């Protein structure tokens, strides 16, 4: 058996205890309840973008976990282009478009783990805690959270970074994740990305190699 490649041929150089997952935010909103969902998705997208920027600054890997919408001959870039040009939620898609430093996983069903490479990627990243965000809270976020819990990941599901068709449905999903999956559902503003490297270097140069980015809650 070949030795484990520690960096996926250079494609996964990051290592971090935490990872931020954006679930199904690249979405064409081509379904009957789309307008109802968009009413919640638009304000959520702006909050999520701020969370993403803070995560990037702290060195936390950002992973887009996105449905393939049944397009088995498509790929992630084509999916993004389609949603940005033709979907009802083009403003949401353009606001949250992935960048070169982001990772992506295409999924065929609700859960980000079902028949995907997500678990393999997370193991290479040495991730222990997942920050789950996106659409919809009572379907794909919930199913992904369930499978993550079964794989012994710790969960953060910020209540202001996931939406469903209605607030009632979203709140119900958050309660389920908190009660049964032990998820922390505090708002994104209470997730503090703390890069301790600079502070530790100022205190003692000998401790430089021990400095790591951390995610704290308050």
């Amino acid at each position: 058996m070949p030795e484990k490649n520690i960096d996926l041929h250079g494609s996964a150089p990051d290592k971090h205890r935490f990872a931020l997952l954006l679930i199904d935010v690249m979405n064409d909103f081509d379904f009957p309840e789309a307008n109802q969902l968009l009413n919640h998705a638009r304000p959520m997208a702006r909050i999520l973008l701020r969370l993403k920027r803070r995560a990037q600054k702290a060195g936390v890997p950002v992973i887009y976990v996105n449905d393939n919408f049944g397009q088995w001959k498509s790929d992630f870039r084509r999916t993004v282009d389609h949603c940005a040009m033709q979907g009802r939620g083009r403003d949401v898609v353009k606001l949250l478009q992935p960048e070169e430093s982001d990772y992506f996983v295409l999924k065929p069903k609700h859960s980000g783990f079902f028949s995907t490479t997500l678990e393999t990627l997370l193991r290479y990243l040495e991730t222990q805690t997942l920050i789950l965000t996106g659409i919809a809270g009572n379907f794909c976020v919930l199913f992904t959270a369930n499978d993550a819990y079964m794989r012994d990941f710790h969960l953060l599901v910020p209540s202001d970074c996931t939406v469903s068709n209605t607030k009632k449905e979203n709140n119900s999903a958050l309660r389920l994740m908190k009660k049964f999956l032990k998820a922390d559902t505090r708002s994104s503003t209470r997730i503090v990305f703390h890069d301790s490297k600079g502070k530790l270097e100022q205190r003692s140069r000998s401790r430089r190699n021990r400095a790591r980015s951390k995610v704290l809650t308050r």
Side-chain angles (χ1 to χ4, degrees):
M1 183 175 179
E3 293 184 8
K4 177 181 176 181
N5 185 340
I6 62 172
D7 67 355
L8 293 183
H9 301 284
S11 297
D14 300 313
K15 303 291 182 185
H16 206 289
R17 290 173 52 221
F18 292 79
L20 173 63
L21 272 59
L22 282 71
I23 300 170
D24 285 349
V25 296
M26 297 297 102
N27 202 310
D28 60 6
F29 292 93
D30 186 20
F31 44 87
E33 304 86 3
N35 289 334
Q36 185 180 16
L37 184 57
L38 274 169
N39 288 334
H40 304 291
R42 288 189 172 106
M44 183 275 291
R46 293 190 289 270
I47 298 170
L48 179 50
L49 180 61
R50 290 195 291 270
L51 180 65
K52 178 186 175 181
R53 291 287 179 250
R54 293 196 291 117
Q56 289 174 317
K57 188 175 180 180
V60 174
V62 175
I63 307 171
Y64 284 74
V65 182
N66 221 88
D67 203 281
N68 68 0
F69 303 112
Q71 302 300 313
W72 292 95
K73 293 184 179 180
S74 185
D75 57 33
F76 185 68
R77 298 301 173 188
R78 288 175 62 183
T79 298
V80 172
D81 291 342
H82 164 74
C83 294
M85 292 186 295
Q86 301 182 35
R88 296 189 200 179
R90 291 187 295 271
D91 51 338
V92 172
V93 172
K94 290 179 180 179
L95 188 66
L96 294 174
Q97 269 192 139
E99 298 158 276
E100 288 298 321
S101 61
D102 299 331
Y103 300 99
F104 62 86
V105 172
L106 274 179
K107 62 184 180 69
K109 293 289 185 179
H110 299 80
S111 172
F113 288 92
F114 180 78
S115 295
T116 77
T117 58
L118 179 60
E119 184 173 6
T120 301
L121 172 59
L122 293 171
R123 297 306 180 194
Y124 272 97
L125 296 175
E126 299 179 3
T127 298
Q128 300 171 27
T129 298
L130 303 181
I131 306 171
L132 302 184
T133 68
I135 304 168
N138 61 337
F139 282 104
C140 295
V141 175
L142 176 60
F143 279 62
T144 301
N146 182 75
D147 282 358
Y149 179 76
M150 296 288 285
R151 288 164 173 80
D152 294 322
F153 287 101
H154 302 295
L155 299 176
L156 279 165
V157 188
S159 57
D160 55 349
C161 287
T162 180
V163 293
S164 306
N165 284 352
T166 67
K167 288 185 177 180
K168 182 178 180 180
E169 290 173 322
N170 204 62
N171 289 338
S172 177
L174 288 169
R175 284 194 297 271
L176 286 172
M177 288 184 275
K178 183 176 182 177
K179 181 176 181 180
F180 296 109
L181 308 181
K182 309 299 187 281
D184 188 329
T185 60
R186 67 187 66 202
S187 67
S188 62
T189 57
R190 296 184 63 199
I191 298 174
V192 181
F193 295 99
H194 175 57
D195 187 348
S196 61
K197 184 176 181 180
K199 292 182 179 179
L200 290 178
E201 283 181 343
Q202 291 174 8
R203 292 173 184 171
S204 172
R205 290 185 179 180
S206 66
R207 299 172 67 185
R208 180 177 300 171
N209 293 332
R210 296 173 59 189
R212 298 291 299 273
S213 295
K214 299 179 181 179
V215 178
L216 307 175
T217 55
R218 63 184 179 188

